Amino acid sequence: EIVMTQSPATLSVSPGERVTLSCRASQSVRSNLAWYQQKPDQAPRILIYGASNRATGIPARFSGSGSGTEFTLTISSLQSEDFAVYYCQQYDNWPPITFGPGTKVEI
Amino acid sequence: QVQLVQSGAEVKKPGSSVKVSCKASGGTLRTYGVSWVRQAPGQGLEWMGGIVPLFGPVKYAQSFQGRLTITTDESTSTAYMELSSLRSDDTAVYYCARALGAWFNYWGQGTLVTVSS
């Protein structure tokens, strides 16, 4: 099973700041990596797939990079609506599909 | 616009089973694939199992083997997740999610399953 780790667990930031979230896989997942955003009491929402492709309707301030075992989600200028928990997910070798533990972005 | 609408909250006794439905509008489920993901209170996301896109087989996470069954009814565009031998640590919100490849572009609203005696 591929284990996903994320850092940091919590990130305290101010609106307008640039935010970088990290995700690491225990073995290579090539570019088969997705990022999701989840707000309280809501289902997750896809942000990025294929490590760097923005999903439909996702603002350009969200970008993804990386391949293999190291990945990054960057929010170029944090907006108030971006405070949420962010999860990475690998889908290179499944089952199982595995998620990281999440990074909470808070004020 | 694709929508996944799940059945309502359930309260179950330990040892019983629960069956949650997920009705899709727009596109067949087995064409795209559908998975079930759960989230225990205050915890992260856990993939339980799913149907491989393009009418592929059902795959299950090892931790649910033997007590999880995922099925679809193409005539009603509905997927089902049935979990048996329920325990208190199965208390969670259960989501269905439609896959594009194996990442999830549409999610249901979630169904809270509470297991309590």
Side-chain angles (χ1 to χ4, degrees):
Chain A
E1 173 176 326
I2 297 175
V3 177
M4 307 300 293
T5 55
Q6 291 185 243
S7 60
T10 304
L11 195 58
S12 298
V13 296
S14 300
E17 286 188 21
R18 180 182 180 89
V19 171
T20 300
L21 310 181
S22 295
C23 172
R24 177 175 292 178
S26 61
Q27 65 189 71
S28 176
V29 298
R30 297 180 289 178
S31 293
N32 295 314
L33 190 286
W35 289 94
Y36 300 86
Q37 176 194 67
Q38 187 180 33
K39 297 179 181 179
D41 298 320
Q42 293 186 18
R45 176 176 75 143
I46 182 69
L47 298 175
I48 301 287
Y49 64 93
S52 61
N53 301 291
R54 265 190 309 276
T56 302
I58 300 304
R61 65 180 181 272
F62 291 92
S63 63
S65 63
S67 67
T69 61
E70 302 279 345
F71 300 89
T72 299
L73 175 70
T74 300
I75 309 171
S76 60
S77 178
L78 199 73
Q79 304 298 300
S80 57
E81 62 266 30
D82 300 335
F83 292 97
V85 180
Y86 293 84
Y87 294 96
C88 61
Q89 174 227 330
Q90 71 81 21
Y91 52 94
D92 184 68
N93 185 12
W94 66 287
I97 287 169
T98 49
F99 291 89
T103 291
K104 181 178 182 180
V105 176
E106 63 178 23
I107 300 174
Chain B
Q1 177 71 343
V2 175
Q3 274 197 310
L4 302 178
V5 180
Q6 299 182 220
S7 50
E10 302 261 14
V11 179
K12 293 293 182 180
K13 300 285 189 189
S16 66
S17 299
V18 67
K19 191 170 186 177
V20 179
S21 67
C22 170
K23 185 172 175 59
S25 60
T28 59
L29 289 170
R30 292 197 74 105
T31 300
Y32 291 97
V34 63
S35 278
W36 289 88
V37 176
R38 77 176 185 179
Q39 187 170 37
Q43 302 302 307
L45 303 170
E46 179 181 24
W47 181 81
M48 302 174 67
I51 299 170
V52 176
L54 297 176
F55 301 88
V58 182
K59 297 189 176 185
Y60 297 104
Q62 186 82 12
S63 54
F64 296 99
Q65 287 278 2
R67 67 184 192 109
L68 174 64
T69 305
I70 293 172
T71 56
T72 58
D73 180 346
E74 284 298 328
S75 67
T76 59
S77 297
T78 303
Y80 298 91
M81 182 281 299
E82 184 168 20
L83 188 63
S84 62
S85 303
L86 290 170
R87 309 181 292 251
S88 57
D89 62 359
D90 290 318
T91 294
V93 175
Y94 290 76
Y95 294 101
C96 62
R98 197 188 81 169
L100 198 62
W103 55 273
F104 307 115
N105 56 348
Y106 293 103
W107 294 70
Q109 83 276 19
T111 297
L112 174 62
V113 175
T114 302
V115 183
S116 173
S117 55

